[in-house]
Amino acid sequence: MNNLHVVAMLIDDKSGEIVNAVDMSIADSDAPVFALDKPNLTLLCDVTEKLNVIDSNVPSADAEDYVFTSSNENVVKVLEDGFIRATGAGSAVVTCNSKNGSGTAQCKVTVRDWTNEVTVETPGTLHNFVGLLDYKELKVNGQLDAMDMRYIRSLTGGRDDYSADQGGSVRCLNLKDATLVSDNRPVTKDGESWYGGQSFEYKDIIYPYIFLNSHINTFICPKSLKGIDVDAFAVSSLRNVTLFEGIEQIGQGAFQELVLNSVYLPSTVSYYNLSLKYSQIDYCWVDSHNPNYMTYNNDIYTKDSKKLVHYSNSGRYTLELPDWCTEIADYLVFQDFGTLYFK
């Protein structure tokens, strides 16, 4: 490897002696590079993050070209395609090795617990806790009903016609150990909604429009969650979401008009209807064990490889469809990208 050596010297103007010298060598731009885009990370527990490989030897490498490992999965768990999840407070090192031997890179991850945590013993009583409006981050445990969820919306700065409390400061919300209980309100959806006209009660489901226009930035869903309903997070400030295995339904416009850092869809997702409409996502991945959907080139296709259902428009002006794709979902809208070319 050729380097350009530049030495900066501080010289005493009287004696002419060198007082200090600093080597400011510049490496040849053609030198191979292998690194992770984030050498250091600090995460809240349960947050999901994406690590990306910078590999000048294989610029078009796929996920299967690299192996990620964690030095302590009690702190950081490795998922797929460079996605990691913070599992407990502490420090761990995530190592990425290329299968072809082109390099090794590491990221040191520090995980911390949530600063504020409350447990709701009786559904409908979350509003009795004092000071929640002033918290920036909040973990809520216990059983939550519709009244609790509406109050949580106000805590995140969302508009809420049911609560006098407005303008809350909560931007990071963790409901991992909460359970969403039914308030015994059977709801019938129209034919365009994700249950296709069925009647059901809101149990283990994020209600429709609950975080619409809210200022929530990070959301950890309940582990018991089965579905996210219509426009639940639409037009909010959401940037990071953690979805656990067990979630089955993601409804129409659930993540509509957002700019998300990344989305990791678990293997259990079986219904996925317009949920990322008009959204920009830096990185998207469907768990490889999902029988219904898959990821190819950061886009989402049906598992039968025939239909493109989501276009991850992270800085691309050209969409190159694979030969095996024969259909594009009619709801896909490519906005703010000038002209797109299909090859």
Side-chain angles (χ1 to χ4, degrees):
M1 180 176 66
N2 297 321
N3 287 346
L4 173 63
H5 290 279
V6 178
V7 179
M9 295 183 293
L10 178 62
I11 301 175
D12 188 303
D13 59 355
K14 293 183 178 179
S15 66
E17 295 180 352
I18 298 175
V19 177
N20 191 19
V22 179
D23 187 351
M24 302 176 65
S25 299
I26 301 175
D28 189 336
S29 60
D30 293 330
V33 175
F34 189 92
L36 293 175
D37 62 338
K38 304 177 186 74
N40 295 281
L41 267 179
T42 298
L43 301 175
L44 279 167
C45 193
D46 301 317
V47 166
T48 303
E49 185 59 82
K50 174 76 166 71
L51 297 177
N52 300 292
V53 180
I54 302 170
D55 188 353
S56 61
N57 290 314
V58 192
S60 59
D62 296 322
E64 58 266 23
D65 294 319
Y66 305 102
V67 177
F68 286 83
T69 56
S70 172
S71 64
N72 187 348
E73 291 217 338
N74 291 321
V75 176
V76 177
K77 180 181 180 180
V78 171
L79 302 177
E80 295 179 346
D81 192 45
F83 279 87
I84 60 174
R85 180 167 295 158
T87 52
S91 297
V93 175
V94 175
T95 301
C96 173
N97 289 296
S98 63
K99 291 183 178 180
N100 67 1
S102 63
T104 296
Q106 293 184 327
C107 172
K108 182 179 180 180
V109 183
T110 301
V111 179
R112 66 177 181 86
D113 284 325
W114 291 69
T115 304
N116 309 296
E117 185 171 351
V118 298
T119 299
V120 178
E121 301 291 347
T122 304
T125 61
L126 179 63
H127 64 279
N128 292 334
F129 288 89
V130 177
L132 301 188
L133 284 166
D134 298 324
Y135 292 155
K136 298 295 184 184
E137 61 188 61
L138 177 64
K139 186 171 191 281
V140 182
N141 310 318
Q143 295 188 332
L144 307 177
D145 66 6
M147 183 180 294
D148 294 318
M149 291 301 292
R150 289 194 290 267
Y151 183 65
I152 285 176
R153 174 163 64 179
S154 70
L155 294 178
T156 63
R159 294 198 298 266
D160 194 339
D161 297 333
Y162 301 93
S163 172
D165 295 313
Q166 298 295 312
S169 300
V170 174
R171 299 297 177 262
C172 301
L173 178 66
N174 189 340
L175 300 184
K176 174 185 175 183
D177 297 319
T179 301
L180 306 185
V181 299
S182 173
D183 57 358
N184 297 315
R185 289 188 305 115
V187 176
T188 300
K189 297 294 183 183
D190 58 35
E192 295 182 355
S193 297
W194 54 293
Y195 273 123
Q198 299 180 39
S199 296
F200 61 97
E201 296 179 349
Y202 282 110
K203 182 178 185 299
D204 295 327
I205 296 169
I206 299 291
Y207 303 152
Y209 315 109
I210 193 67
F211 293 106
L212 179 72
N213 288 308
S214 80
H215 300 299
I216 189 171
N217 179 274
T218 299
F219 179 71
I220 313 299
C221 78
K223 287 197 70 175
S224 59
L225 194 70
K226 296 301 182 184
I228 300 176
D229 210 336
V230 175
D231 289 341
F233 294 91
V235 204
S236 69
S237 300
L238 189 66
R239 290 285 291 164
N240 189 293
V241 59
T242 293
L243 305 172
F244 293 104
E245 289 290 325
I247 186 171
E248 300 170 357
Q249 316 278 349
I250 301 180
Q252 179 175 351
F255 300 114
Q256 182 173 241
E257 296 187 47
L258 303 181
V259 180
L260 291 167
N261 291 330
S262 58
V263 173
Y264 188 97
L265 294 179
S267 65
T268 50
V269 173
S270 60
Y271 192 95
Y272 176 88
N273 178 16
L274 299 165
S275 56
L276 300 173
K277 185 178 180 182
Y278 306 129
S279 293
Q280 297 183 35
I281 303 174
D282 292 338
Y283 302 100
C284 191
W285 185 260
V286 180
D287 188 284
S288 61
H289 297 96
N290 189 301
N292 305 290
Y293 303 101
M294 69 177 194
T295 305
Y296 177 81
N297 196 26
N298 207 30
D299 302 322
I300 301 177
Y301 294 82
T302 53
K303 196 77 171 190
D304 61 9
S305 304
K306 293 182 179 180
K307 180 187 287 189
L308 173 68
V309 296
H310 177 73
Y311 168 68
S312 185
N313 49 6
S314 55
R316 288 186 291 165
Y317 285 83
T318 301
L319 174 60
E320 183 174 356
L321 289 174
D323 294 338
W324 39 259
C325 179
T326 59
E327 186 178 356
I328 300 175
D330 55 9
Y331 54 76
L332 285 181
V333 176
F334 307 103
Q335 59 180 12
D336 301 328
F337 283 84
T339 302
L340 283 170
Y341 298 94
F342 297 85
K343 296 183 178 180

